[in-house]
Amino acid sequence: MKKSHPFRRVMLASAATVSGIVLLLTLKPSSDPGGAQAAGALPQQTSAAQESAQGGAAAKDGTFTGDTVQTQYGPVQVRVTVAGGKITKAEAVQQPKGGQSDQISGNAIPKLNKEAVTAGLGGTVDAISGASYTSAGYGKSLQSALDKASSGAGTGAAGGGAGGGAAQAATVTGDKVDTQYGPMQVRITVAGGKITKAEAVQQPKGGQSDIITGNAVPKLNQEAVAAGTADIDAISGATYTSAGYKKSLQSALDKVPAAESDKSSGTGAAAPAPAPATTPGSAAGSGAAAGGATSDGGGTYTGSVVQTEYGPVQVRVTLTKGRITSASAVQAPKGGRSDQVSADAIPKLNLEAVTAGDGDIDAVSGASYTSAGYKKSLQSALDQAGG
């Protein structure tokens, strides 16, 4: 029978413990926090973006448009607005459209826009499920926009750098075109020789027209910005609306040269250029109306921002001889279902404001919160006009 040797067992146990400690010390560098950060760094992030995130080369304030990225289903192009070293707004100037692409882009783009703002200057966006090609194109165009922000090379809508294009923008309203189903009137904002925004001031409404225009007008607006001209395709099922839109759009474009020459005095064909979306608005600072009110009892006034359950609403109105001649939403709830609700409700509320001539307008069915916010902001704009 073998004798037990307690001392030997102790020595063996101690040796095993020492070996384990040595092994742990050998493996420690791979779990170092710095190593973990390096492992998690996104390879597509450029050095300029990384410097911005780390407080190095700060991005310039302004609006920057990324390169157009061709995907399997169509082009994607992203524009970002940078203020105070942060992305305050991201939007797709171009996106895949037609057939199933309309549904995919309609779902993915708002989410990608939100991700871009959340991620900031040094971040990237995650692919949206079911929209891998669009997501990849968005990410590439976004990065090129951020590269321009870091270098100060602003392009596209707002021109270069802080406030570059904003001071040169002109907003022009086209002629009203009567179609078989109702009037159509288009307003565009032009900066740096490009259409940066298009919207319908008036459009056919009532019955089936509400469905048709709710589907067609957002697409026509997008086409106008992408094309930069009135040479846009008609929307299937909305032939008359499309034709009226194109005519009014062309008349607005015809007025642009006069608007550019007269904008400094607030006269001529152009409607006043828009004020920053964050400005609650005063008679002296609500857009490009010279000093707010004009001698004929008109002017452009931006109402207060009204926070609703689904997002902010802010309304701008233009008055001529004391009457509302145009109304538009500077801000509206967006993201997810809100995009569809706002796209349906805002044009109707704009038209109601012009038709009613005051803040006593009806709520749009299915958009009670947005309607209530719209009415409050509209009334605050009218209060400024009357004050």
Side-chain angles (χ1 to χ4, degrees):
M1 182 175 180
K2 290 185 178 181
K3 290 184 178 181
S4 176
H5 297 283
F7 183 74
R8 181 180 298 173
R9 286 200 301 270
V10 169
M11 291 296 292
L12 289 173
S14 298
T17 301
V18 171
S19 298
I21 293 172
V22 171
L23 179 61
L24 287 173
L25 290 174
T26 303
L27 294 175
K28 184 178 179 180
S30 65
S31 61
D32 183 74
Q37 290 178 357
L42 296 173
Q44 61 267 43
Q45 204 174 33
T46 65
S47 58
Q50 291 172 351
E51 286 177 359
S52 296
Q54 296 167 1
K60 303 292 190 298
D61 285 355
T63 300
F64 305 87
T65 304
D67 298 334
T68 299
V69 177
Q70 296 296 335
T71 75
Q72 185 172 332
Y73 296 99
V76 179
Q77 187 176 29
V78 180
R79 175 184 298 135
V80 296
T81 299
V82 178
K86 296 181 179 180
I87 298 176
T88 58
K89 182 180 179 182
E91 58 185 328
V93 180
Q94 296 186 67
Q95 62 192 48
K97 60 182 179 178
Q100 186 70 11
S101 291
D102 288 333
Q103 183 178 346
I104 293 173
S105 295
N107 172 61
I109 294 298
K111 295 178 182 178
L112 291 166
N113 291 339
K114 186 176 180 180
E115 280 192 28
V117 173
T118 303
L121 296 172
T124 56
V125 295
D126 294 328
I128 302 300
S129 177
S132 54
Y133 289 100
T134 298
S135 299
Y138 188 103
K140 288 181 180 179
S141 184
L142 170 63
Q143 189 57 63
S144 71
L146 295 178
D147 290 343
K148 293 173 183 177
S150 296
S151 65
T155 61
Q168 300 174 2
T171 300
V172 188
T173 303
D175 297 332
K176 182 179 73 172
V177 177
D178 289 314
T179 75
Q180 184 171 333
Y181 297 101
M184 174 61 68
Q185 189 174 28
V186 179
R187 174 186 297 130
I188 58 173
T189 299
V190 178
K194 296 182 179 181
I195 298 175
T196 59
K197 182 180 179 182
E199 59 184 325
V201 180
Q202 296 187 63
Q203 61 190 42
K205 66 174 184 175
Q208 186 69 11
S209 291
D210 289 336
I211 299 176
I212 293 174
T213 55
N215 172 62
V217 169
K219 295 178 182 178
L220 291 166
N221 292 339
Q222 186 179 349
E223 283 193 23
V225 173
T229 70
D231 185 18
I232 59 178
D233 294 329
I235 303 300
S236 177
T239 307
Y240 291 100
T241 297
S242 300
Y245 186 102
K246 291 174 66 174
K247 287 183 181 178
S248 184
L249 172 59
Q250 185 59 61
S251 71
L253 290 170
D254 291 342
K255 296 175 183 178
V256 169
E260 289 292 326
S261 62
D262 293 333
K263 66 193 172 190
S264 60
S265 60
T267 61
T278 55
T279 303
S282 63
S286 55
T294 60
S295 60
D296 66 351
T300 296
Y301 304 86
T302 304
S304 302
V305 177
V306 178
Q307 296 294 337
T308 75
E309 185 171 330
Y310 296 99
V313 179
Q314 187 178 29
V315 180
R316 175 180 297 130
V317 294
T318 299
L319 281 73
T320 303
K321 295 183 179 179
R323 297 185 59 183
I324 298 176
T325 54
S326 71
S328 60
V330 181
Q331 296 188 62
K334 61 181 179 177
R337 175 71 175 164
S338 293
D339 289 332
Q340 183 177 346
V341 174
S342 294
D344 172 65
I346 295 298
K348 296 177 183 177
L349 291 166
N350 291 340
L351 185 57
E352 280 193 35
V354 173
T355 303
D358 56 30
D360 187 18
I361 58 177
D362 295 329
V364 174
S365 177
S368 54
Y369 289 100
T370 298
S371 299
Y374 187 103
K375 290 174 67 175
K376 288 182 181 179
S377 185
L378 170 61
Q379 189 58 59
S380 72
L382 294 175
D383 290 343
Q384 294 169 30

